[in-house]
Amino acid sequence: MKINCLLLFAFITLNVIAQKENIDTRVENLLNQMTLEEKVGQLNQYNDDGIATGPVTPDGDKEGQIRRGELGSMLNVIGVERVRQFQDIAMQSRLRIPLIFGQDVIHGYKTTFPIPLGEAASWDLKAMKLSARIAATEAAAGGVHWTFAPMIDIGRDPRWGRVMEGAGEDTYLGSLIAKARVEGFMGNGLGNTDAVMTCAKHFVAYGAVEGGRDYNSVDMSDRMLWETYLPPFKAAVDAGVSTFMNAFNDLNGIPATGSSYLQRDILKGKWNFEGFVVSDWGSVGQMIKHGYVKDGKEAAYAAITAGCDMDMESRSYKNNLVELVKEGRVNIALIDDAVRRILYKKFEMGLFDDPYKFCDIQREHDAFNNPEHTKASREIASKSIVLLKNENNLLPISPDVKTIAFIGPMVKEYKPNLGFWAIELPEVNYDKFIVSQWDGVQNRISKGTKLLYAKGCDIDGDNKDGFAEAVSVARQADIVIMSIGERWDMSGEAKSRSDIHIPGVQEELVKAIQATGKPIVVMINAGRPLVFNWIADNVPSILYTWWLGNEAGNAIADILFGDVNPSGKLPMTFPREVGQIPIYYNHFNTGHPAATDSTLFYTTAYIDLKTSPKFAFGHGLSYTEFEYSDIKLSKGKMKNTESTEVSFVIKNIGKYTGDEVVQLYLRDRVGSVVRPVKELKDFKKIRLNPNESKVIRFTITNDKLCFYNQKLEYKSEPGEFDVMIGSASDDIRLEGEFELIH
Ligand code: GLC
């Protein structure tokens, strides 16, 4: 058996090597035929004239440029027919180099999944991989070759609207999610007609923009960069990500697009990345606005020398690179390297063998009408919902309830359930395709249950005219479900908010309904952590429902009525007030730690606000209860060449089957640089039936103890470590310790 495995491994390896050599040869042969103008053409990407995800440069003659081989790629070209039109023109060019088509397939193509931050709350890597797999299958069937995903920016500031697009605040969780999403999108590898190229973005530290203001500056130590923000990108490289997208922000004074430290030293050098780097929309030309270069020509020079291979939409490369090469300022070798990287991907995708490979109408129809995709969307959506509170076990709603009032501005909405970065396909009737929250609950309630509705108010604005009707409807019910939150387009790109309270008069609506004395369940729809202290303190049951995709209504009903037991855990810390930001669980202790909310004097505490978050990273409840016991470590002392195992027992002591995300946190008590009070180092999502218990084991290896020291060496240091097993970062159930010996 072992021999067979070895032979199979050898065969596959040799096959991959042979394919690479074959493509390398084809790339060289083509490169040798290309003129300088055609080479520069491959480095340009333009948007189609339809949907734009950035400021469009009107320049009319796209088709002529394609026909002359002056364009290598396009984005936001929707549908097989449209893709075919542009590819037809590319086939009229001298060398018939196919275009490659990119699209922001961030959380689904036709089938829409929860926003990525919502999916991250599932802590279900398999589910996130499946979601990406389905998105790729549909996108590739729809003519898309390349998704600008996964977005893997660590985000610790909920004022930043793009936290909705990533995996939250934790580097360990974010790195695993990056891997899962890259593998999901790429399936069995490029060249398959259900696989798309991937794009790790935004390189790098875009999530650390000052003030949470999109596109703003970022300034941090190299140690913080290496420790917190780079690892998910290295995980994406290790997972085989096809391309990188650099970032709008400047980092320590250098725009990411013009940073050779990032793109050449780290990415293409240290990490030996062989794919290509695309700029973000216009970010090459935007270096003029940064004040980093004086004009488009210098922008092109700075970007190409820094390792940015493709210019999305700025025209800097198109207008300047030929001249820069002719005048000897840019070595043709740099151009050739960028062109090789891009051509390699086009060969790998099989586009030279068949430029219309992804333009199959029947395949598009089949992929867009697969019930398995809808089923998966519903399952992943229900796993993403986080039960923040459930006093008196008000949830799940009993089937005997006679009358339910369903109140709030989100109840009967359709498209907002998709959230930001959802794809708009012209042939889809979204009001039919999306299950609204009202539809979902209506479809699920028992025969004898009456469902009443009132909108109550809008998401924003100060109009309370609808309050009276809402209160009257609530009075007629046995229980009230409310669905409120921010508007779907209050988070996403260029959607930073200085105030992340629930907008408008929605919280006042909740107070008015609460005053009726009826039991209330509040659901909050959002693309980021919001502030809602009154609701959090006074409402018995709260669900965080993010933006759940086209199966939102069914997923919400599954949770409300207990068909699915909630299992989501927060991937980001929820602050009590904006003033607490930045706030994250894996902070340093400082010399004046505010160990509890009441230790104020001479500590890092605020004098006017509790120090703890409103809801902690990793927080999420269940309809059942889990008991943790019997922690054991296999070694009290561990050499850095060994590992130690921590085991414990978890038991379901409630009456519902449930999934629990058990979390392993470690603390390095003393280091050559200060170390966080705790760091997530492993987790498992465990399903247990009532009264069932399991022994869970985590293996602690030396690499889980490593960190970047002052010299940026990634290594562990001898000393004592705390071991914490928790249901959340602020809900540690079991503790242990061990000593690392070098
Ligand atoms: C946008 C976004 C980027 C996206 C690109 C193309 O500005 O920053 O994430 O992939 O442009 O839409």
Side-chain angles (χ1 to χ4, degrees):
M1 179 61 179
K2 203 163 177 193
I3 301 261
N4 291 344
C5 290
L6 284 173
L7 285 173
L8 178 63
F9 177 73
F11 173 75
I12 292 170
T13 307
L14 289 172
N15 206 354
V16 168
I17 293 170
Q19 191 216 22
K20 184 174 182 333
E21 283 169 357
N22 170 38
I23 293 180
D24 283 338
T25 309
R26 296 176 75 182
V27 166
E28 286 314 307
N29 291 341
L30 179 55
L31 196 67
N32 293 333
Q33 301 170 57
M34 295 171 76
T35 65
L36 172 58
E37 287 71 13
E38 287 165 334
K39 290 178 180 179
V40 169
Q42 288 303 302
L43 313 189
N44 290 302
Q45 180 186 61
Y46 290 178
N47 196 65
D48 190 3
D49 293 332
I51 298 167
T53 47
V56 174
T57 309
D59 61 356
D61 173 30
K62 282 194 181 80
E63 298 193 4
Q65 293 179 61
I66 295 169
R67 199 167 285 112
R68 293 190 297 275
E70 295 169 7
L71 208 50
S73 174
M74 294 188 76
L75 72 152
N76 291 324
V77 178
I78 300 290
V80 163
E81 285 309 329
R82 186 85 177 142
V83 166
R84 184 178 285 276
Q85 282 169 10
F86 284 115
Q87 204 68 297
D88 280 344
I89 299 168
M91 290 305 108
Q92 297 162 28
S93 64
R94 186 176 78 87
L95 291 170
R96 297 165 53 82
I97 298 174
L99 292 167
I100 198 158
F101 294 89
Q103 185 78 44
D104 294 286
V105 184
I106 307 296
H107 54 113
Y109 191 67
K110 180 188 177 193
T111 304
T112 307
F113 296 92
I115 56 170
L117 187 64
E119 268 195 356
S122 74
W123 293 52
D124 186 331
L125 299 172
K126 219 166 129 228
M128 286 183 254
K129 187 170 177 178
L130 175 61
S131 154
R133 184 85 295 276
I134 291 170
T137 304
E138 293 183 359
V144 177
H145 301 148
W146 174 25
T147 179
F148 303 126
M151 184 274 216
I152 52 182
D153 302 306
I154 293 297
R156 290 174 158 175
D157 189 332
R159 292 171 295 183
W160 188 49
R162 299 195 77 163
V163 292
M164 56 74 57
E165 208 176 327
E169 72 187 47
D170 184 69
T171 302
Y172 176 79
L173 179 61
S175 299
L176 290 174
I177 291 175
K179 176 177 185 290
R181 287 180 169 150
V182 167
E183 291 173 349
F185 281 122
M186 297 177 72
N188 294 325
L190 299 186
N192 287 293
T193 51
D194 65 353
V196 292
M197 281 168 50
T198 46
C199 182
K201 71 182 186 183
H202 303 81
F203 195 57
V204 72
Y206 184 23
V209 285
E210 211 163 75
R213 291 207 310 278
D214 208 352
Y215 315 119
N216 204 2
S217 297
V218 174
D219 205 277
M220 68 173 66
S221 68
D222 276 352
R223 218 185 62 72
M224 170 68 82
L225 181 68
W226 282 91
E227 185 83 30
T228 303
Y229 292 88
L230 282 171
F233 288 90
K234 180 62 170 57
V237 171
D238 295 344
V241 72
S242 321
T243 67
F244 264 56
M245 181 183 291
N246 54 43
F248 288 125
N249 56 284
D250 54 278
L251 173 62
N252 300 334
I254 309 284
T257 304
S259 170
S260 54
Y261 174 59
L262 295 178
Q263 297 168 109
R264 292 207 183 281
D265 299 350
I266 297 176
L267 181 60
K268 296 176 179 178
K270 187 176 174 66
W271 293 352
N272 191 29
F273 178 64
E274 295 183 334
F276 67 87
V277 178
V278 64
S279 78
D280 201 341
W281 185 297
S283 66
V284 173
Q286 284 161 16
M287 289 194 283
I288 301 167
K289 287 182 185 159
H290 274 287
Y292 185 65
V293 294
K294 66 177 170 55
D295 57 25
K297 185 172 181 179
E298 293 313 311
Y301 174 80
I304 195 71
T305 46
C308 174
D309 300 302
M310 185 181 277
D311 172 8
M312 178 193 289
E313 266 294 327
S314 96
R315 307 304 191 272
S316 306
Y317 282 13
K318 165 120 183 54
N319 298 335
N320 300 288
L321 274 187
V322 168
E323 188 183 338
L324 282 163
V325 171
K326 286 182 175 167
E327 64 190 32
R329 285 191 58 203
V330 169
N331 188 319
I332 187 64
L334 287 188
I335 305 292
D336 286 350
D337 177 60
V339 176
R340 272 193 197 94
R341 291 169 181 269
I342 293 164
L343 292 180
Y344 191 95
K345 287 301 169 201
K346 293 184 176 182
F347 276 110
E348 207 176 6
M349 289 292 287
L351 292 172
F352 280 93
D353 301 327
D354 176 3
Y356 303 99
K357 177 172 187 173
F358 295 84
C359 297
D360 180 316
I361 290 288
Q362 187 55 46
R363 188 188 311 131
E364 184 183 56
H365 172 271
D366 296 347
F368 285 10
N369 296 282
N370 183 335
E372 287 305 305
H373 296 182
T374 304
K375 181 168 171 282
S377 178
R378 177 171 181 166
E379 284 173 3
I380 292 165
S382 61
K383 288 176 178 176
S384 304
I385 294 171
V386 181
L387 179 60
L388 294 179
K389 214 178 148 189
N390 193 28
E391 273 166 10
N392 331 312
N393 294 317
L394 178 59
L395 287 174
I397 295 173
S398 156
D400 305 332
V401 165
K402 287 289 166 262
T403 307
I404 299 172
F406 203 173
I407 295 172
M410 264 307 295
V411 172
K412 291 200 170 183
E413 290 289 351
Y414 282 91
K415 278 203 68 204
N417 286 295
L418 303 187
F420 203 84
W421 289 119
I423 304 274
E424 183 115 19
L425 298 176
E427 70 272 25
V428 177
N429 175 348
Y430 285 94
D431 287 356
K432 291 267 177 294
F433 180 59
I434 295 168
V435 180
S436 73
Q437 298 177 25
W438 173 265
D439 297 338
V441 171
Q442 178 96 51
N443 299 340
R444 175 61 185 74
I445 50 174
S446 320
K447 285 268 171 298
T449 304
K450 210 156 71 168
L451 188 62
L452 307 176
Y453 168 71
K455 184 177 180 183
C457 65
D458 290 328
I459 283 181
D460 49 7
D462 54 11
N463 185 329
K464 300 183 193 177
D465 295 351
F467 277 33
E469 181 205 13
V471 167
S472 144
V473 162
R475 288 191 195 288
Q476 300 166 51
D478 303 313
I479 183 170
V480 182
I481 309 169
M482 297 188 74
S483 186
I484 62 173
E486 61 177 5
R487 225 185 24 249
W488 71 274
D489 60 357
M490 286 180 168
S491 56
E493 183 176 352
K495 306 295 182 192
S496 294
R497 292 180 65 200
S498 65
D499 172 1
I500 55 171
H501 284 83
I502 290 196
V505 293
Q506 298 178 89
E507 204 157 22
E508 289 177 64
L509 175 66
V510 175
K511 285 181 186 172
I513 301 299
Q514 171 95 333
T516 65
K518 299 289 181 180
I520 303 185
V521 177
V522 169
M523 301 192 297
I524 299 174
N525 307 270
R528 56 157 54 91
L530 293 179
V531 171
F532 45 95
N533 292 310
W534 189 88
I535 290 171
D537 296 339
N538 294 281
V539 169
S541 292
I542 304 169
L543 292 164
Y544 218 73
T545 52
W546 313 105
W547 300 110
L548 292 170
N550 58 282
E551 281 293 298
N554 285 332
I556 281 171
D558 288 342
I559 293 288
L560 286 172
F561 295 96
D563 301 334
V564 174
N565 187 351
S567 61
K569 300 274 186 183
L570 296 177
M572 262 187 95
T573 300
F574 278 49
R576 293 176 182 277
E577 287 297 348
V578 171
Q580 275 188 318
I581 298 169
I583 181 170
Y584 43 92
Y585 84 94
N586 49 349
H587 59 82
F588 299 138
N589 205 33
T590 77
H592 290 250
T596 67
D597 278 336
S598 49
T599 43
L600 297 179
F601 265 150
Y602 301 112
T603 72
T604 61
Y606 294 106
I607 58 168
D608 59 353
L609 186 68
K610 287 182 178 177
T611 310
S612 59
K614 196 64 186 174
F615 295 103
F617 172 81
H619 172 78
L621 304 178
S622 168
Y623 293 153
T624 194
E625 262 189 270
F626 298 98
E627 182 186 70
Y628 292 61
S629 63
D630 202 15
I631 185 169
K632 292 192 181 85
L633 275 94
S634 62
K635 291 191 185 80
K637 290 183 186 306
M638 165 189 151
K639 289 201 186 95
N640 61 342
T641 52
E642 300 171 333
S643 63
T644 185
E645 180 185 85
V646 53
S647 66
F648 62 96
V649 175
I650 179 168
K651 183 177 181 183
N652 180 343
I653 57 172
K655 57 181 185 171
Y656 292 94
T657 294
D659 296 340
E660 169 74 331
V661 178
V662 295
Q663 301 151 45
L664 167 68
Y665 293 95
L666 297 180
R667 176 178 190 172
D668 187 347
R669 290 183 189 164
V670 176
S672 58
V673 290
V674 292
R675 310 288 298 120
V677 294
K678 58 171 70 87
E679 295 176 283
L680 180 72
K681 290 295 181 184
D682 209 333
F683 64 88
K684 285 188 169 83
K685 191 159 191 175
I686 312 291
R687 173 157 298 182
L688 291 172
N689 296 315
N691 279 322
E692 184 185 8
S693 60
K694 277 181 187 165
V695 176
I696 308 299
R697 290 180 172 75
F698 288 125
T699 302
I700 298 173
T701 48
N702 187 58
D703 72 281
K704 288 186 184 292
L705 312 179
C706 292
F707 60 93
Y708 287 94
N709 63 22
Q710 274 185 303
K711 294 181 204 143
L712 290 183
E713 296 158 333
Y714 187 65
K715 48 172 61 170
S716 65
E717 294 175 0
E720 293 169 333
F721 287 78
D722 293 315
V723 178
M724 294 160 269
I725 302 293
S727 177
S729 61
D730 69 340
D731 182 5
I732 300 302
R733 304 290 182 86
L734 301 168
E735 296 186 278
E737 59 186 27
F738 69 92
E739 184 181 355
L740 177 68
I741 304 163
H742 271 204

